């Protein structure tokens, strides 16, 4: 069963309406504010937490990861963080520069 392309992470978790927030909080060992912030931005979940959630809701890890990645691509905050991280490494010792200037 493949996830719908427009499906959000929240919709994936609540698809069968089998679990409550309290169930997820107990399984993940986190409080309600942390669960809700990660539900809004699932890129904050660790791989282990996503594997646990996938097992809990009866979906494959691959399906869950596809939904998380699709949602992260459309999240402007995640895109901004990625851009900032790329800019930080430019000019570092082991980062390949676009064009090396040689002076002889």
């Amino acid at each position: 069963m493949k996830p719908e392309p427009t499906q959000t992470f929240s919709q994936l978790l609540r698809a069968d309406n089998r679990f409550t927030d309290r169930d997820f909080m107990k399984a993940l060992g986190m409080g309600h504010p942390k669960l809700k912030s990660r539900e809004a931005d699932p890129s904050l979940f660790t791989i282990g937490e996503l594997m646990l959630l996938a097992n809990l809701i009866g979906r494959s890890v691959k399906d869950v990861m596809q939904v998380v990645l699709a949602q992260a691509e459309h999240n402007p905050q995640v895109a901004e963080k990625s851009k900032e991280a790329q800019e930080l490494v430019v000019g570092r010792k082991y980062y390949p520069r676009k064009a090396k200037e040689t002076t002889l």
Side-chain angles (χ1 to χ4, degrees):
M1 185 173 5
K2 290 193 174 189
E4 300 171 13
T6 59
Q7 188 176 32
T8 65
F9 186 73
S10 293
Q11 291 170 341
L12 179 70
L13 290 180
R14 311 269 187 274
D16 296 330
N17 205 18
R18 295 182 348 194
F19 301 103
T20 64
D21 285 347
R22 205 169 272 198
D23 297 326
F24 292 126
M25 290 180 337
K26 186 175 180 180
L28 295 170
M30 64 178 62
H32 194 262
K34 191 172 185 180
L35 175 68
K36 286 302 179 182
S37 70
R38 289 184 181 196
E39 193 175 329
D41 184 6
S43 64
L44 299 174
F45 278 110
T46 65
I47 299 295
E49 291 169 342
L50 289 175
M51 291 175 70
L52 181 70
L53 285 172
N55 189 25
L56 187 65
I57 63 174
R59 295 305 256 321
S60 71
V61 177
K62 185 177 178 181
D63 288 346
V64 173
M65 290 295 291
Q66 285 177 345
V67 171
V68 169
L69 290 173
Q71 191 167 339
E73 286 177 353
H74 298 295
N75 187 342
Q77 294 170 339
V78 173
E80 185 65 31
K81 285 180 186 177
S82 175
K83 184 179 176 183
E84 287 174 6
Q86 290 173 356
E87 290 172 355
L88 284 175
V89 296
V90 172
R92 300 268 171 109
K93 183 177 179 181
Y94 296 109
Y95 186 79
R97 297 186 181 170
K98 291 182 181 179
K100 285 190 174 182
E101 296 180 29
T102 56
T103 56
L104 296 174

